[in-house]
Amino acid sequence: MLAVVAVVSCDYFFSDLIGPYPFSIIMFAGINIVLAVSLNLVNGFTGQFSMGHAGFMAVGAYVSGAITTVLVSESHPQLLEGVMGNFVFAGALLAGGLAAAIVGYIVGLPSLRLRGDYLAIVTLGFGEIIRVVFLNIEVTGGARGLAGIPLLANLSWVYVIVILTVFCISRVVSSAHGRALLSVREDEIAAESMGVNTTQAKVRAFVLGSFFAGLAGGLFAHNFQYINPQVFDFNRSFEVIIMVVLGGMGSISGSILSAVFLTVLRELLRSLQEITQVDYRMIIYSLILIIMMLTRPNGLFGTKEVWEYLPGFKKRKESNVPPAEGATP
């Protein structure tokens, strides 16, 4: 609650204080944090390699954007003003997240019975199918994209969703359901022998990850005010996978740090790209992925959180462990 109040308070200072370009980077970093943490639940904690996260982001972006643009802005524009605008935006975000979750369930139920490379290929194919569907829907602009989306996302909305995403996924991972997800990641056959319904556990993680990807899509649409199917292509999914792999396959704080780092790196490379007319971003991303796979396959922080590497954390953790029965105090 204190974090939410702090974020809402900072919104009024940051926009005028740091300028529009750094402010847009901070906004985009928050959206990327939501995407990376939600994908980490599937790829990192459950051990399923999904490559279709951009498709679920697209569902959330188009559904929430169509609600505020086609349904509300054109017929009742006064509903987007003041406090009522926040309620309409909250409803549109929720609708986008739920639509992405439903699509995630439809996609996940048959495909999550597959494993390894097969699952990656199927999710990649479904992500592209979603993009092509929006490419051919005239209501949402087709190839021209959906323009005129009202500017409803601000720093408060983005970072409140960031806090909500991190809190929910942290609670899920530390719960009994989270232990089932971790057991699927470690050894699916052993988990089944212990009574864990592995397909059900994987689908739950997939649906929850899709829901938060839909929220990120809604924030993206209402921040940039224009979306088209090309924004949600394979490269977008690839960027989010890099964030998860770089931070740690099973580390929430690692995903947050890598999302911020790669967002800032992308903007730093933009000036170099304008000079040389070469997109170095995907080259560097590919090199990062190759180096990480060769040196640290589980990412920089692995399955640990960042604070577990602090010097005093291990001593405090050991001091909290009760002594064994019969041991001399």
Side-chain angles (χ1 to χ4, degrees):
M1 182 61 73
L2 288 175
V4 173
V5 172
V7 166
V8 174
S9 303
C10 288
D11 188 31
Y12 296 99
F13 298 102
F14 272 11
S15 56
D16 294 330
L17 188 65
I18 64 175
Y21 182 57
F23 186 75
S24 67
I25 296 175
I26 294 173
M27 294 280 284
F28 197 44
I31 295 170
N32 281 339
I33 290 172
V34 177
L35 287 170
V37 173
S38 59
L39 183 62
N40 206 350
L41 179 67
V42 180
N43 286 19
F45 290 103
T46 316
Q48 309 304 306
F49 199 74
S50 170
M51 298 181 70
H53 219 52
F56 305 116
M57 182 187 180
V59 173
Y62 270 102
V63 170
S64 60
I67 289 173
T68 55
T69 307
V70 180
L71 295 182
V72 180
S73 181
E74 294 180 358
S75 56
H76 304 286
Q78 70 277 7
L79 293 178
L80 298 175
E81 297 174 358
V83 179
M84 185 57 71
N86 286 319
F87 282 108
V88 172
F89 184 44
L93 272 184
L94 184 62
L98 290 175
I102 292 170
V103 174
Y105 179 79
I106 296 170
V107 172
L109 193 59
S111 61
L112 287 176
R113 296 180 186 276
L114 303 173
R115 297 177 185 176
D117 299 340
Y118 300 105
L119 175 63
I121 294 168
V122 169
T123 52
L124 174 64
F126 274 113
E128 286 298 299
I129 288 171
I130 292 170
R131 187 181 67 82
V132 172
V133 167
F134 283 118
L135 193 64
N136 292 282
I137 295 178
E138 281 302 317
V139 178
T140 54
R144 298 187 308 277
L146 185 61
I149 302 172
L151 179 62
L152 295 174
N154 53 28
L155 191 70
S156 304
W157 271 108
V158 171
Y159 281 89
V160 165
I161 297 297
V162 167
I163 293 168
L164 180 69
T165 306
V166 173
F167 175 77
C168 290
I169 293 184
S170 300
R171 295 299 297 169
V172 168
V173 169
S174 59
S175 68
H177 296 294
R179 300 299 175 197
L181 300 181
L182 296 177
S183 69
V184 171
R185 180 187 68 187
E186 297 301 327
D187 193 321
E188 195 167 336
I189 297 174
E192 283 181 351
S193 66
M194 295 299 293
V196 175
N197 188 332
T198 56
T199 302
Q200 196 177 77
K202 288 188 287 186
V203 170
R204 276 202 295 264
F206 205 69
V207 169
L208 189 59
S210 303
F211 173 77
F212 285 110
L215 293 186
L219 292 172
F220 181 88
H222 290 87
N223 181 43
F224 292 94
Q225 298 183 269
Y226 170 73
I227 52 175
N228 66 67
Q230 200 60 32
V231 174
F232 308 102
D233 62 359
F234 167 69
N235 287 334
R236 177 73 62 188
S237 293
F238 187 67
E239 285 178 6
V240 185
I241 291 170
I242 293 290
M243 292 171 192
V244 173
V245 173
L246 179 64
M249 301 280 283
S251 171
I252 293 175
S253 53
S255 295
I256 296 171
L257 290 177
S258 64
V260 174
F261 169 72
L262 289 176
T263 305
V264 174
L265 176 65
R266 175 179 181 171
E267 298 306 319
L268 291 177
L269 292 172
R270 192 179 296 279
S271 57
L272 184 63
Q273 181 181 344
E274 291 174 355
I275 296 172
T276 61
Q277 300 298 317
V278 177
D279 187 3
Y280 290 97
R281 179 170 48 92
M282 297 312 294
I283 298 174
I284 291 177
Y285 282 4
S286 301
L287 286 175
I288 289 174
L289 185 61
I290 293 169
I291 293 170
M292 290 303 300
M293 287 295 103
L294 292 175
T295 56
R296 291 183 69 89
N298 290 328
L300 285 175
F301 302 105
T303 57
K304 295 182 179 179
E305 300 300 340
V306 174
W307 52 84
E308 294 184 41
Y309 289 91
L310 297 176
F313 182 83
K314 189 174 181 181
K315 291 181 179 178
R316 287 197 300 272
K317 190 174 181 180
E318 290 175 349
S319 64
N320 291 331
V321 176
E325 189 176 350
T328 304

